[in-house]
Amino acid sequence: MTILAIETSCDETSAAVVRDGRILSNAVSSQIELHAEYGGVVPELAAREHLKNLLPVAKTALSDANISADQLDAIAATQGPGLPAALLVGLKAAQAVAFALRKPFIGIHHHEAHLYSPWICSIASPHEPGSAGVPPASSIRAGETPALPATALGNSPSPVAGVSGVDTAKQFTADFSAFQPNVSLIVSGGHTMLVLVESELKHRVLGSTVDDAAGECFDKTGKMMGLAYPAGPEMDRLSESGNPKAFDFPRPLLHDASDDFSFSGLKTSVRYFLRDNPALLDDPHKIRDLCASIQAAIVEVLVAKTIRAARSNGVRCVTASGGVTRNRALRQQLALACKKNGFTLHLADKSLCTDNAAMIGILAEQKLAHKIPATGLDEDIKPGWVLA
Ligand code: KG4
Ligand code: ZN
């Protein structure tokens, strides 16, 4: 089965071709630079950018995969949740392609796709049972525009700046052979949640953030220190040479009985601390200490609550995905904690942590394999779609 998948729920325009669990291509055009100027994602701009980039990105995905449109068996797209105008671009384009090709269309829940992305691994270093703490290496190559031969979609190719794809030296495939019930942490700029995944396609949300997402906390506290949006990656880098114990910031809901998260109190605490100690920001060493201390607070909460949820639900496997899962301290601490508890850990490959169409295609394929009915071509976007 060969599927063309599209993802446009936020600020990444992505198209991927997936065949029998293998990712043949995964083209991503990120809008980070565009939105950085405004300190966050501007929905109207995101939608316009998706409109501009979707066709060339889809052509890149098809040509990278060496697949023509008539070889496709199904089309998939993110149906929700996400920014309404952004979702509309991908969903309606995918439905139109499905209509034109007379192929089934599958509307995918973005978070549900994240749940299975940790099972997509490099063929060179497949996940092995018990491979806890061995995060696979990054695979996205820095924004190079691939050559775009004309494809079966018609028009002459129009390259998009900054399109990146799966490293051709590395093959990725979804490997569910080692699947086991797990607690999955989804952590990004828009969401932070813990989900119990009982079996393939069967899951239950345990908890989620009651206010800010963890990535938002990185981005907003970083902004207070003068770092550019999104601040998470830079805080990760600066933290490497900072002291995580230099400043003691709160660990919200760390000991709370629920599986929910809250990060706005931590953000406020950093704001007041900087208001009372403005001179710290003049010292680059102190900025590194601040980054490391804030990161330590966020990571401790994420790791402790994930492990506790796994223990209390009697599962011995943890998975993690979403943009913040690129964070080195989080990867290391999760690996350590899983090792200590005898849990298997599957972390999404760094190239697949952030939003991408490959995970949409993999889930669509799973749904078709499990005989889940196709989505109507007249179905609308679901911007507030809640994961059950
Ligand atoms: O999944 P994603 O690309 O988009 C959504 O929010 O859905 O995640 C982006 C978030 C941003 O908040 C960004 O700061 C954070 O992921 N992020 C990181 C790192 N890389 C990305 N946060 C901490 N450390 C990182 N290395
Ligand atoms: Zn996401």
Side-chain angles (χ1 to χ4, degrees), residues 46-338:
R48 284 167 188 259
E49 202 64 9
H50 286 312
L51 267 179
K52 196 168 84 190
N53 292 340
L54 183 55
L55 187 57
V57 165
K59 285 180 169 183
T60 300
L62 287 168
S63 68
D64 279 1
N66 203 18
I67 288 288
S68 58
D70 58 359
Q71 291 173 279
L72 296 171
D73 297 305
I75 317 295
T78 306
Q79 191 169 6
L83 303 172
L87 285 168
L88 265 178
V89 176
L91 186 92
K92 290 297 149 191
Q95 287 172 325
V97 173
F99 174 74
L101 297 176
R102 296 168 194 265
K103 298 293 178 192
F105 167 72
I106 320 289
I108 293 293
H109 191 298
H110 180 87
H111 297 159
E112 191 180 2
H114 270 301
L115 289 181
Y116 300 96
S117 61
W119 301 93
I120 304 172
C121 51
S122 157
I123 294 171
S125 55
H127 292 150
E128 279 163 23
S131 65
V134 192
S138 168
S139 80
I140 275 214
R141 95 194 146 223
E144 226 174 71
T145 307
L148 294 172
T151 71
L153 275 187
N155 300 338
S156 59
S158 40
V160 162
V163 175
S164 54
V166 163
D167 188 335
T168 44
K170 233 174 160 189
Q171 303 267 3
F172 283 85
T173 192
D175 178 10
F176 294 103
S177 62
F179 181 90
Q180 48 180 314
N182 61 80
V183 160
S184 191
L185 171 70
I186 305 177
V187 61
S188 73
H191 28 87
T192 303
M193 56 174 70
L194 283 169
V195 184
L196 175 65
V197 187
E198 288 158 295
S199 59
E200 285 169 63
L201 303 186
K202 187 163 177 241
H203 51 259
R204 177 164 61 85
V205 175
L206 300 170
S208 54
T209 183
V210 296
D211 41 53
D212 292 353
E216 205 176 341
C217 189
F218 271 110
D219 296 341
K220 290 185 174 161
T221 55
K223 190 177 175 189
M224 292 172 205
M225 290 184 278
L227 303 181
Y229 171 86
E234 183 64 355
M235 287 182 71
D236 182 355
R237 196 183 67 77
L238 292 170
S239 295
E240 263 213 306
S241 47
N243 176 5
K245 294 193 174 135
F247 306 103
D248 188 19
F249 291 114
R251 271 75 169 149
L253 299 189
L254 181 62
H255 301 296
D256 188 75
S258 80
D259 292 313
D260 288 334
F261 296 96
S262 164
F263 290 102
S264 73
L266 170 57
K267 180 186 68 184
T268 308
S269 157
V270 173
R271 174 170 292 126
Y272 288 144
F273 184 77
L274 291 175
R275 183 197 62 189
D276 298 340
N277 301 277
L280 288 179
L281 295 180
D282 298 330
D283 181 343
H285 294 291
K286 295 285 184 237
I287 291 183
R288 289 171 191 275
D289 288 348
L290 276 166
C291 287
S293 301
I294 296 166
Q295 177 177 279
I298 296 172
V299 167
E300 185 179 338
V301 172
L302 292 174
V303 173
K305 299 203 76 155
T306 303
I307 296 294
R308 199 185 59 186
R311 288 166 78 141
S312 61
N313 285 282
V315 301
R316 306 193 58 75
C317 178
V318 164
T319 73
S321 62
V324 178
T325 309
R326 292 176 64 95
N327 184 273
R328 279 172 289 193
L330 178 60
R331 295 178 90 86
Q332 282 162 6
Q333 296 299 321
L334 270 177
L336 279 175
C338 284

